Amino acid sequence: MAPAPGAEPRPPALLPLLLLPLLLPLLPGPAAGLEVQRKFLSPTLTNNFALDGPGSRVYLAAVNRLFQLSGGELALEAEAAVGPVLDSPLCHAPQLPQASCEHPKVLTNNYNKILQPDPEQGVLVVCGSIYQGLCQLRSMANISAVAVRFPPGGSDPVTVFPSMLNVAANHPNASTVGLVLRRGGGGGARLLVAATYTGFGSPFFPRNRSLEDHRFENTPEIAIRALNARGDLAKLFTFDINPSDDNIFKIKQGAKARHKLSFVRAFLQRGAALPARRPYAYLALNSEANAGDKESPSHSLLARICLGEAAETTLNGSGETKKLTESYIQLGLRCGGASDAFTRLVSVFPARELLFGVFERAGAGGGGGRPQSALCVFRFAEIEETIRAARNSCFVSPAAGMVTVLDSVVQGTGPACEKRNIQLQPEQLDCGAAHLQHPLAIVNPVTATPVFTYSGLTAVAVASVNNYTVVFLGTASGGLLKINLDSTMKVISRRSISVAYGEPVHPIMQFDPSDSTYLYLMTSYQMTRVKVAACNQYSTCTECLAAADAYCGWCTMETRCSLQHECTNFTGASFWVSTSEGVQQCPAMTILEPEINIDKENPVLIIQINGTIPNLNGTNISCDYGNNIHTVARVAGDYVNQFIYCSLLPREKYPAFPEDQDHVIVETALRVNSKNIIQANFTIYDLPWVCGQRPHGTSVMEVDGAVEKIDCPRIVPASLEPMPTGVPRDMTITLANATFSKVNEFPERWEGSGEPRHLHTAEKSHLFPVNLQLKHRPDRFIDSPEMMTVEVYNCATGSADCSQCLGREDLGHRCVWSESSSSCRLHSESPQLSDTCPAPEIKKIEPLRGPLEGGTLLTIRGRNLGRRFSDVVGAVRIGSVPCVPLRTRYIVSEAIVCQTGEAQEAFSDVVTVNVSQEGKSRERYSFVLPVVQSIAPLNGPKAGGTRVTIRGSSLDVGSELRVLVNTSRQCTDLSGGRIITLEGRGFELVQNVSMVVRGIGREPTSCKVHTDTIITCPSPAASNITVGSKPAPVDFYLNGRLYTDDRPALDEEMYPEEALHISKFNLEYYADPQFFTAKKEKWIKHHPGEPLTLVIHKEPDSLGLESNEYQVKIGLISCEIQIVSDKVIHCSVNESLSTSDRQLPVTIQVGKFNYTIAMLHLGGGETAIIVSIVICSILLVLSVVALFVFCTKSRRAERYWQKTLLQMEEMESQIREEIRKGFAELQTDMTDLTKELNRSQGIPFLEYKHFVTRTFFPKCSSLYEECYILPSQQLSSQVGSQVQETHPLLVGEWKIPENCRPNMEEGISLFSTLLNNKHFLIVFVHALEQQKDFAVRDRCNLASLLTIALHGKLEYYTSIMKDLLVDLIDASASKNPKLMLRRTESVVEKMLTNWMSICMYSYLRETVGEPFFLLICAIKQQINKGSIDAITGKARYTLNEEWLLRENIEAKPRNLNVSFQGCGMDSLSVRAMDTDTLSQVKEKILEAFCKNVPYSQWPRVEDVDLEWFATSTDSYILRDLDDTSVVEDGRKKLNTLAHYKCPWLSCFVSLFFTVKDLDTEKYFHLVLPTDESVEHKKSHRQSHRKKVLPEIYLTRLLSTKGTLQKFLDDLFKAILSIRDDKPPVAVKYFFDFLEEQAEKRGITDPDTMHIWKTNSLPLRFWVNILKNPQFVFDIDKTDHIDACLSVIAQAFIDACSLSDLQLGKDSPTNKLLYAKEIPEYRKIVQRYYKQIHDMPPLSEQEMNAHLAEESRKYRNEFNTNVAMAEIYKYAKRYRSQIVAALDANPTTKRTQLQHKFEQVIALMEDNIYECCSEA
């Protein structure tokens, strides 16, 4: 079945199937507890599903498709196509004949919104997103048929209105829920519909300049509609009650933006209060209203609507309709505490008295991660009581802040709650009344504590089973969780299954109405029927009940674990044992006399029944002894205590006694109705032969005495305390059934020894068997039913470190560790030794990478890794991620195998083990995200054998990897043959050796003995081992005998449990290596007689092959391997390849793996050439010679190209390695920097007033001489003290002499009044701009002064800017409109820059500030990683070619221990380079010490010196120049750290000159100036320097770029993104202004609009900020950082440009460096503009309110009088021109503004200069 055109097809299933092995925990396994029974695959995306009443049919709605499936089997019965159709969201439905549409229609997919069956009418309500949410009534018996056509049409048409057709939401992403309601007494059906508003102003409505809204114009958010398909069709889908306004819930148009509702589910629920048990309809929804809104403080809401009286309702619905708005009330649902609540509702499920809900944290899960979610439980009784209390509070006893009237609803009545002298009836408390205010909203939410938390929960369904609550949870990854909760809602068990990997589970899941043990759920492309329990996986009663699965229990009479209804007679007492009864109730039996003498006459077995077993009276019971031997049994006792009497099997049928044994164990079972249900064992023994008939032992104790009792004496089993080797110990042995007159104890004796000896062992421990031998009967031993042993241990053996030694305490070994001798001793030998071990030492971790989901088995090897397993539980972490140790894989002190936890994002960190002390690994473990990008081939034969290549990134991570194709076939490795080297000693004694790998299934491989210490073996091929499975054990056979280390072979018959061999050798198998030629060609041409060089590429793998393991052959001739790397193999053949065959295979062999990668084709021979020379003429001979010369040169060129290619590959590898190392180091440094930012004072942002002054006045103006005046400071006492910048505009008081103050204040006041006159100010600006001597600098200064002066009235300032911009646009439109705003040449352009700076400051500080600051720090860190020439400023690492140090100067890092003397600071380790000058070192030291201090408060480099303490008494001041400085070519070289060779430094305060004062004509640092380097007098060092082209160092630009790429991407993303919580209103407002102006002037070119927007925001504001970080932060912007930022700013400019970059080999590197990223950045810019364009328009009132708020925030920050006085200077300079312009303008002339201007001049002119001079 192919999907319809335009539909969303099902994505390829191959990729999810290949990814299944990476999520093994979700695969159904033995402990899954769930079982997928049936699946139905949909070709398009699924939307909804529904079940009919009895569950015999399943209805599935997908995009453009409807399916009718059989219940249980999910077999397709019928289907219907419902899309795509031609439609437009701006057009009415075509079923409305009176409406026409002029908008274009396109092929539109139909997304199902409502799928609700009405069994009484036999119709299925189907509503889709097309035709404005039109609904159809289809037949439930056959959905392909329409049951009731609406509108009917034909001869009996009905009048149809839009409100009858517009039912559901018309957008794929808008929510809609529906519910069919039934009336009692045959009153007809109704349809409750709740839909998200998608009309004008919503994000779902298309941008339409006509502002028409044909969708939801009058459609309410919630409505109850008529659904009587058998009645009058003119009322179908109409609002159910007249007047209709009383039965709808519609939000006012102006309030819709604040109340964006998203509906989750609609459901019916009986009231909890008796006796009425009133029926209610509930709506679960989410509100996007502001958190501070009084009506909806909570994001998740539950709304309730009353449907009628309980006495009038049926089981499925309600009777008389209650008016919707009268009873409507909503309250919030909060899952969790106020600070950490899960605020967004995902799914709900009503379960009797409880409401279960899945919530997630709103806004979580960005960047592709899954949001954290939780399950919460609410009680309907609490909800109903809250509603009653709220209504009582509103009308009877008002309480402030408890309940409010929803005044945002059109149908709301009453402004607020008010007290009334009425007594509310219970019905009115529950459902309100017409005379009361309505609808209502409860302010405080109902709160619940999360019961269960998980990532990515999407659905919930709940069942109550056997006193447990079972919750089923769907996940975003296609999994289904089942958790069992007890009565206190505590999780007691959890199971999971994968239903459809990668497909989220739909929020609604339903149980099968005919069989509640099956659950229906829907994923993106599947409909699935899941069995709720898989009980048959448990084979015993203990396993069954211990699983704590509420559905599973033990069926006693059938001896199996089953669901309750699957057990025969499950309704009878004790036939089925549930989990709640506990494991102790498992049926069992006890034989009261378990030991029977063989000579006992007529023995009877008495069996006591334990656990839960039904009454056996009246059943056919017997005892079963096996071998078809049964005896009759009878029941005695009552039902509570049942006893079974059973005859013993006949004497002749007793089983034979085993040899040398005096008893036999017999198993018997209780057989009921021909089935064994319980069993037990008893013993038959032979008394005359019991006593003393034991065989001789290995260790004996002589006892003097005799047996006096008839019953045999025996040793009572008891554990003996371990004994140290060679130390005497007393042992006490207890005997039963024996009386001895005298007991003599003798030390142990070894056989054949005549004297007593102590027990010794050279092993770690050894078990000696203990027997008692009769003194006078050496052949007799006292019976010992259980072999007693004593453990003898040796402390000196098997304990290599302290933890191993002290850890033996748990084994009873009294050992202590001696640190001095590094040995383990007996405790008594060294009582004074400490029992504390050193910190753990981690030597190796593997693997080094793993997936983010965790689950990787990480092996940690080392020393002192804990004495016991409990020491390491919870002690292993990777950064902040825990790693859970595995008990079975733990080796005391030596190895920990732990399972990594889940990481939220990719990172790398060291592994720490904290066992009283903390140990860290030297290697870092990385969490990465494996990605599968492609597979090849896509198909293969069914028989298998196809080699599948999977390409991607990070596919080799983790400890275990499996590749599954179609979830069943595993890829295998079939070669082997790799040489395994075995080292040891004494091999010359071995005659033959073979190796066997267990589980491989092939014959053993023969090995070769080389020397006394070396054996080599070829590895066998793998036939049934999976790639990535656990290592296979390896056994070696020496002379046909299994090698078992140094331990002596044990007697398997005597000690079978200890004879089990555990191999100490393992082999891991990986896939065969993959090879191909350089161009992946299959044919290679070659001319005989010439040398041949082959370049063979190899796919990366984990085999770790050495160069000697490769063998390349061309035919039978070996190709000599010259170069081997991880990816490339080079080999050459120097001998002739001439042969009769013209084709030779090129074969590569590794072990037994042979693979032909290509065929070598040989050219023609010399004979043909000679014949042609003889026959052809001289002309032809010359042609052949010419051709030969040409071919020779071509081959030489090809060989040269191959060598060049090799060099390029090596160079590329070096660059890649340099980038990788540099990025890793920078990431570490930046991580530390980020942590410091979080812990300290944060990013050094400048205050708003300093940001404004630096941005408005970037250079000195006529206003003042110094831009920033910073007071001097001293390091000793003022580091970290607050030092303020001073600026004339920031001074609080206008400093003028008192005698001048009155006139000047009056004049400035009058001038301010003029400037606040719109007409005067516009004429004033235009008049100044017309003056030729009014330079660009003056224009910018005037604009900034105007901005300061009018900062308190930004609304007025904005209107002035807009009017001036209109004039500028008019002037530009007549010329070239694309050039507008490109430069700052007018006052209004600088005003626009300032306006953007003011409006974007908050966004700059809150969103862009952190990534921008981190980028600057990253640039500085990267530059400091390499050498920097102190004279020229050029560095090894940079982004700017002009600042690149084009010399290969090796610099080594050096860590300096530095302390500030006299400052009270702690010492600090500072990282510097050995090529750094002493001034550069001081700069790095100051940067480290002043890390959290703004740069303006740092001491200067000139104020500190470096002092080296060579000894405790001798110290030296280190300077850039001193008597020890080296002179080269007449220039002094500045001293560096390498020059002094000092191990550590100390710093104190004093004066010193800086490098900037050096005369560059006399000194140099790293390289000599270029003009002298070419002179004939070169130093010895220079004359022997290796000649390298300077351009070769341009690759360092790429290295630096690659290292900084992440930080640059983060910055651009922050700049070009829109925050939902704080959209850029100023940008939206100004862009709309530009579009409006363009439309008025008929400018339709989209490129022109793009250029205007780019010139107004990115190039005018952001580029200025990118180039000048000192405008934003209190930092030092060096010339080198400025050069790098210029390259970044150029990349940002190119990204905003529309013109294609024409780049070539001669293009500047500054443009070439980011040429690859520019297209992607350009897409981000265009997307940003589109998002701004799609935002809701901003009114003038909203913008003015925003500007007023900005003015209020920074009120009184600037001295406006100073700004007015500076503006007046321009007014006085151009007085006559301004007056003339005022006279020429009719408006200003009419209002006589020129006279007011003259008054200002008169007040100011006579005093200003005099007063200013006095000031």
Side-chain angles (χ1 to χ4, degrees), residues 1161-1439:
H1161 182 72
L1162 301 178
E1166 292 80 2
T1167 304
I1169 299 176
I1170 297 174
V1171 173
S1172 61
I1173 292 176
V1174 173
I1175 297 175
C1176 296
S1177 61
I1178 298 176
L1179 182 60
L1180 185 58
V1181 171
L1182 294 177
S1183 301
V1184 171
V1185 172
L1187 181 61
F1188 176 77
V1189 172
F1190 174 76
C1191 293
T1192 302
K1193 291 184 177 181
S1194 298
R1195 287 191 292 273
R1196 290 177 180 175
E1198 183 177 359
R1199 289 196 299 270
Y1200 177 76
W1201 175 83
Q1202 290 179 346
K1203 294 181 180 179
T1204 305
L1205 178 64
L1206 177 61
Q1207 293 179 353
M1208 294 300 294
E1209 288 178 347
E1210 293 177 350
M1211 184 186 302
E1212 181 182 357
S1213 177
Q1214 293 175 0
I1215 296 173
R1216 187 181 297 109
E1217 182 68 17
E1218 188 173 357
I1219 291 176
R1220 185 187 66 80
K1221 291 181 179 179
F1223 183 75
E1225 293 178 2
L1226 184 60
Q1227 282 291 94
T1228 303
D1229 294 342
M1230 294 307 297
T1231 300
D1232 296 340
L1233 175 64
T1234 306
K1235 293 179 180 177
E1236 291 294 335
L1237 286 178
N1238 295 334
R1239 291 197 302 266
S1240 61
Q1241 302 173 6
I1243 299 173
F1245 283 109
L1246 289 173
E1247 294 183 24
Y1248 174 77
K1249 56 185 178 182
H1250 300 306
F1251 166 76
V1252 167
T1253 54
R1254 293 193 179 193
T1255 308
F1256 291 5
F1257 306 100
K1259 297 181 180 179
C1260 300
S1261 67
S1262 60
L1263 176 64
Y1264 50 90
E1265 291 300 324
E1266 292 294 334
C1267 297
Y1268 312 112
I1269 306 170
L1270 301 177
S1272 61
Q1273 44 212 293
Q1274 298 298 324
L1275 175 67
S1276 60
S1277 61
Q1278 299 189 17
V1279 171
S1281 62
Q1282 186 66 25
V1283 181
Q1284 299 289 342
E1285 291 183 2
T1286 59
H1287 191 284
L1289 293 175
L1290 300 180
V1291 178
E1293 182 182 356
W1294 187 24
K1295 297 181 180 179
I1296 54 175
E1298 292 299 326
N1299 59 336
C1300 302
R1301 184 176 295 275
N1303 286 344
M1304 293 192 67
E1305 286 183 347
E1306 182 180 357
I1308 288 299
S1309 176
L1310 182 59
F1311 188 52
S1312 175
T1313 304
L1314 285 177
L1315 291 181
N1316 281 278
N1317 185 295
K1318 191 173 187 178
H1319 300 291
F1320 173 82
L1321 185 54
I1322 291 177
V1323 172
F1324 177 77
V1325 172
H1326 284 322
L1328 293 181
E1329 286 186 324
Q1330 292 172 0
Q1331 311 309 313
K1332 294 183 179 180
D1333 60 341
F1334 193 66
V1336 172
R1337 180 177 179 181
D1338 295 324
R1339 300 180 187 206
C1340 294
N1341 192 39
L1342 174 62
S1344 297
L1345 292 171
L1346 284 173
T1347 309
I1348 297 295
L1350 301 177
H1351 193 279
K1353 298 180 180 179
L1354 287 179
E1355 310 98 299
Y1356 171 67
Y1357 177 84
T1358 304
S1359 66
I1360 295 295
M1361 181 188 71
K1362 288 173 60 177
D1363 290 344
L1364 293 174
L1365 277 173
V1366 170
D1367 297 339
L1368 180 64
I1369 293 173
D1370 290 336
S1372 302
S1374 60
K1375 302 176 183 177
N1376 188 352
K1378 293 184 178 181
L1379 298 179
M1380 190 185 73
L1381 300 176
R1382 174 168 291 186
R1383 299 180 179 88
T1384 304
E1385 298 177 344
S1386 62
V1387 174
V1388 67
E1389 289 173 309
K1390 178 60 176 174
M1391 290 177 68
L1392 174 60
T1393 302
N1394 298 343
W1395 185 80
M1396 281 290 182
S1397 301
I1398 294 173
C1399 295
M1400 296 299 289
Y1401 174 75
S1402 297
Y1403 185 80
L1404 171 63
R1405 180 161 184 151
E1406 296 172 6
T1407 305
V1408 182
E1410 182 176 345
F1412 188 27
F1413 183 71
L1414 290 178
L1415 174 64
I1416 297 170
C1417 294
I1419 293 174
K1420 192 169 185 179
Q1421 295 273 15
Q1422 184 63 15
I1423 293 174
N1424 290 338
K1425 292 275 183 205
S1427 302
I1428 306 173
D1429 194 293
I1431 301 297
T1432 64
K1434 295 184 178 182
R1436 177 185 179 91
Y1437 297 113
T1438 183
L1439 290 175

Side-chain angles (χ1 to χ4, degrees), residues 1356-1650:
Y1356 171 67
Y1357 177 84
T1358 304
S1359 66
I1360 295 295
M1361 181 188 71
K1362 288 173 60 177
D1363 290 344
L1364 293 174
L1365 277 173
V1366 170
D1367 297 339
L1368 180 64
I1369 293 173
D1370 290 336
S1372 302
S1374 60
K1375 302 176 183 177
N1376 188 352
K1378 293 184 178 181
L1379 298 179
M1380 190 185 73
L1381 300 176
R1382 174 168 291 186
R1383 299 180 179 88
T1384 304
E1385 298 177 344
S1386 62
V1387 174
V1388 67
E1389 289 173 309
K1390 178 60 176 174
M1391 290 177 68
L1392 174 60
T1393 302
N1394 298 343
W1395 185 80
M1396 281 290 182
S1397 301
I1398 294 173
C1399 295
M1400 296 299 289
Y1401 174 75
S1402 297
Y1403 185 80
L1404 171 63
R1405 180 161 184 151
E1406 296 172 6
T1407 305
V1408 182
E1410 182 176 345
F1412 188 27
F1413 183 71
L1414 290 178
L1415 174 64
I1416 297 170
C1417 294
I1419 293 174
K1420 192 169 185 179
Q1421 295 273 15
Q1422 184 63 15
I1423 293 174
N1424 290 338
K1425 292 275 183 205
S1427 302
I1428 306 173
D1429 194 293
I1431 301 297
T1432 64
K1434 295 184 178 182
R1436 177 185 179 91
Y1437 297 113
T1438 183
L1439 290 175
N1440 198 311
E1441 180 184 0
E1442 297 178 359
W1443 291 79
L1444 177 64
L1445 182 62
R1446 305 195 185 202
E1447 293 285 345
N1448 189 18
I1449 297 176
E1450 294 296 332
K1452 297 180 181 179
R1454 178 175 295 184
N1455 290 325
L1456 309 177
N1457 295 324
V1458 186
S1459 61
F1460 261 95
Q1461 292 185 355
C1463 300
M1465 295 183 179
D1466 296 332
S1467 62
L1468 193 67
S1469 177
V1470 179
R1471 185 178 185 270
M1473 310 304 292
D1474 60 357
T1475 56
D1476 287 348
T1477 65
L1478 276 305
S1479 293
Q1480 291 174 336
V1481 173
K1482 288 190 289 183
E1483 289 175 355
K1484 293 181 178 180
I1485 292 173
L1486 291 178
E1487 182 177 359
F1489 271 93
C1490 303
K1491 179 163 41 180
N1492 299 325
V1493 180
Y1495 178 74
S1496 60
Q1497 303 174 32
W1498 289 19
R1500 295 181 301 172
V1501 176
E1502 299 89 335
D1503 296 336
V1504 295
D1505 274 356
L1506 292 180
E1507 184 177 8
W1508 170 32
F1509 289 89
T1511 64
S1512 58
T1513 56
D1514 298 334
S1515 63
Y1516 305 95
I1517 300 297
L1518 307 185
R1519 295 185 174 88
D1520 287 335
L1521 292 171
D1522 56 18
D1523 297 338
T1524 65
S1525 299
V1526 179
V1527 178
E1528 292 186 12
D1529 293 343
R1531 292 174 182 264
K1532 272 192 176 184
K1533 182 179 180 181
L1534 300 183
N1535 296 335
T1536 63
L1537 283 180
H1539 173 75
Y1540 282 106
K1541 301 182 179 61
C1542 48
W1544 62 279
L1545 301 174
S1546 180
C1547 179
F1548 71 94
V1549 178
S1550 68
L1551 295 177
F1552 182 61
F1553 69 92
T1554 178
V1555 176
K1556 296 179 182 177
D1557 298 333
L1558 294 177
D1559 184 1
T1560 58
E1561 298 295 330
K1562 300 180 180 179
Y1563 307 103
F1564 79 98
H1565 176 202
L1566 297 178
V1567 293
L1568 288 170
T1570 307
D1571 54 348
E1572 291 195 10
S1573 61
V1574 297
E1575 293 180 1
H1576 65 281
K1577 293 183 178 181
K1578 295 182 179 180
S1579 66
H1580 179 76
R1581 176 181 59 86
Q1582 282 188 310
S1583 62
H1584 289 81
R1585 181 180 300 170
K1586 183 179 180 180
K1587 300 298 181 183
V1588 179
L1589 291 175
E1591 285 72 14
I1592 200 69
Y1593 298 110
L1594 291 179
T1595 57
R1596 294 177 182 171
L1597 301 179
L1598 291 175
S1599 172
T1600 307
K1601 174 211 169 186
T1603 307
L1604 301 175
Q1605 189 63 45
K1606 176 184 178 298
F1607 302 96
L1608 182 60
D1609 290 343
D1610 291 345
L1611 174 61
F1612 282 7
K1613 180 180 178 182
I1615 292 176
L1616 300 172
S1617 61
I1618 297 177
R1619 289 173 49 183
D1620 295 336
D1621 59 334
K1622 198 169 185 180
V1625 292
V1627 178
K1628 171 64 177 176
Y1629 177 78
F1630 188 75
F1631 281 11
D1632 285 352
F1633 167 75
L1634 292 179
E1635 292 177 359
E1636 178 186 355
Q1637 296 301 317
E1639 186 177 5
K1640 287 181 179 179
R1641 290 159 180 78
I1643 300 175
T1644 59
D1645 182 16
D1647 291 352
T1648 301
M1649 288 306 308
H1650 183 95

Side-chain angles (χ1 to χ4, degrees), residues 1653-1811:
K1653 294 176 181 179
T1654 298
N1655 291 343
S1656 60
L1657 176 64
L1659 303 190
R1660 185 161 299 279
F1661 174 70
W1662 287 120
V1663 171
N1664 190 31
I1665 295 299
L1666 290 178
K1667 288 185 176 181
N1668 299 283
Q1670 75 277 11
F1671 289 177
V1672 185
F1673 311 113
D1674 190 351
I1675 61 172
D1676 176 31
K1677 186 187 75 170
T1678 64
D1679 294 340
H1680 203 139
I1681 292 179
D1682 181 68
C1684 294
L1685 290 177
S1686 298
V1687 177
I1688 293 173
Q1690 182 61 50
F1692 187 74
I1693 294 172
D1694 294 339
C1696 298
S1697 174
L1698 288 174
S1699 59
D1700 294 331
L1701 297 176
Q1702 302 296 331
L1703 300 177
K1705 61 180 182 179
D1706 298 327
S1707 300
T1709 57
N1710 292 356
K1711 285 184 173 290
L1712 290 173
L1713 196 59
Y1714 285 99
K1716 181 180 178 182
E1717 288 77 12
I1718 293 302
E1720 290 300 324
Y1721 292 153
R1722 189 168 292 168
K1723 293 178 182 177
I1724 299 176
V1725 173
Q1726 294 172 351
R1727 182 169 67 248
Y1728 175 72
Y1729 287 170
K1730 185 179 184 303
Q1731 290 174 340
I1732 295 292
H1733 180 81
D1734 294 340
M1735 287 174 58
L1738 207 65
S1739 65
E1740 289 290 340
Q1741 294 79 3
E1742 291 173 319
M1743 188 61 199
N1744 287 338
H1746 173 73
L1747 293 172
E1749 175 64 20
E1750 292 296 320
S1751 298
R1752 186 194 61 78
K1753 283 197 299 187
Y1754 306 111
R1755 185 170 48 199
N1756 300 327
E1757 291 279 358
F1758 307 102
N1759 194 330
T1760 57
N1761 287 333
V1762 176
M1764 290 287 184
E1766 290 297 319
I1767 297 172
Y1768 173 77
K1769 293 180 181 179
Y1770 289 112
K1772 179 166 186 319
R1773 186 194 306 176
Y1774 302 102
R1775 170 182 177 182
S1776 59
Q1777 293 89 337
I1778 294 173
V1779 171
L1782 293 173
D1783 285 334
N1785 188 281
T1787 303
T1788 57
K1789 184 175 182 181
R1790 184 176 64 254
T1791 54
Q1792 299 184 347
L1793 295 181
Q1794 69 273 23
H1795 296 299
K1796 296 180 180 179
F1797 179 64
E1798 292 289 353
Q1799 294 177 10
V1800 173
I1801 298 296
L1803 286 170
M1804 299 285 293
E1805 188 173 359
D1806 295 335
N1807 297 310
I1808 187 168
Y1809 292 108
E1810 179 182 355
C1811 294

Side-chain angles (χ1 to χ4, degrees), residues 719-1033:
S719 60
L720 300 177
E721 182 181 355
M723 300 170 53
T725 179
V727 178
R729 286 286 189 272
D730 293 333
M731 290 188 298
T732 302
I733 300 175
T734 305
L735 299 180
N737 303 328
T739 300
F740 296 95
S741 59
K742 182 180 179 182
V743 177
N744 296 326
E745 294 186 4
F746 293 90
E748 294 79 355
R749 296 178 183 269
W750 294 99
E751 275 193 60
S753 176
E755 59 182 50
R757 295 199 324 179
H758 303 310
L759 294 180
H760 291 271
T761 180
E763 302 175 6
K764 182 178 180 181
S765 67
H766 187 80
L767 291 178
F768 290 88
V770 177
N771 294 287
L772 292 180
Q773 184 185 45
L774 296 180
K775 182 176 180 180
H776 302 292
R777 296 291 300 274
D779 58 335
R780 294 293 184 94
F781 292 84
I782 301 298
D783 280 344
S784 180
E786 297 180 10
M787 174 62 68
M788 285 185 60
T789 58
V790 61
E791 181 186 10
V792 179
Y793 62 90
N794 190 339
C795 290
T797 304
S799 301
D801 56 41
C802 177
S803 295
Q804 281 186 339
C805 180
L806 299 182
R808 297 174 65 169
E809 179 184 1
D810 296 343
L811 303 176
H813 301 180
R814 299 174 57 82
C815 300
V816 293
W817 178 257
S818 173
E819 193 65 37
S820 60
S821 61
S822 296
S823 62
C824 188
R825 302 179 180 179
L826 190 63
H827 187 274
S828 59
E829 299 175 8
S830 305
Q832 74 282 2
L833 296 179
S834 173
D835 61 349
T836 302
C837 288
E841 177 185 351
I842 301 176
K843 297 181 178 179
K844 183 176 181 59
I845 62 171
E846 56 182 352
L848 296 177
R849 298 192 301 167
L852 295 181
E853 291 82 358
T856 302
L857 295 184
L858 177 65
T859 302
I860 305 170
R861 303 186 188 278
R863 290 166 52 88
N864 290 316
L865 300 180
R867 307 182 192 178
R868 56 188 64 86
F869 180 76
S870 60
D871 291 350
V872 299
V873 174
V876 185
R877 305 187 74 84
I878 306 167
S880 61
V881 178
C883 193
V884 181
L886 303 181
R887 181 182 296 273
T888 56
R889 304 283 295 273
Y890 175 66
I891 301 176
V892 173
S893 178
E894 293 182 351
I896 302 173
V897 178
C898 62
Q899 190 174 42
T900 60
E902 181 178 359
Q904 298 299 321
E905 59 182 357
F907 75 96
S908 64
D909 206 337
V910 297
V911 178
T912 61
V913 176
N914 195 337
V915 182
S916 70
Q917 300 184 59
E918 186 176 77
K920 296 184 178 180
S921 64
R922 292 186 294 271
E923 301 166 304
R924 302 176 72 87
Y925 181 86
S926 302
F927 283 97
V928 298
L929 180 63
V931 177
V932 175
Q933 296 172 345
S934 65
I935 64 169
L938 296 178
N939 45 38
K942 186 176 181 180
T946 303
R947 188 183 304 277
V948 180
T949 301
I950 305 173
R951 300 182 186 275
S953 61
S954 302
L955 297 182
D956 58 341
V957 301
S959 57
E960 182 175 351
L961 175 67
R962 287 198 300 164
V963 179
L964 273 69
V965 181
N966 295 333
T967 72
S968 59
R969 298 290 184 181
Q970 296 189 10
C971 298
T972 59
D973 176 18
L974 302 173
S975 297
R978 193 173 183 187
I979 300 301
I980 308 299
T981 301
L982 185 65
E983 297 183 359
R985 63 178 185 272
F987 292 158
E988 290 183 347
L989 303 176
V990 179
Q991 296 176 338
N992 58 78
V993 184
S994 61
M995 181 177 72
V996 176
V997 181
R998 297 186 204 166
I1000 295 303
R1002 299 283 179 88
E1003 294 295 326
T1005 59
S1006 298
C1007 305
K1008 181 179 180 181
V1009 179
H1010 293 270
T1011 65
D1012 187 56
T1013 59
I1014 298 295
I1015 295 177
T1016 58
C1017 306
S1019 63
S1023 60
N1024 59 354
I1025 188 167
T1026 59
V1027 176
S1029 63
K1030 63 182 181 181

Side-chain angles (χ1 to χ4, degrees), residues 6-7 45 47 62-66 81-85 108-113 126-131 134 136 172:
L45 187 70
N47 301 135
V63 177
N64 301 330
R65 288 288 188 274
L66 294 175
V82 292
V85 298
T108 305
N109 290 329
N110 187 4
Y111 289 78
N112 180 269
K113 295 298 178 181
V126 180
C127 306
S129 60
I130 60 171
Y131 299 149
L134 182 70
Q136 291 180 324

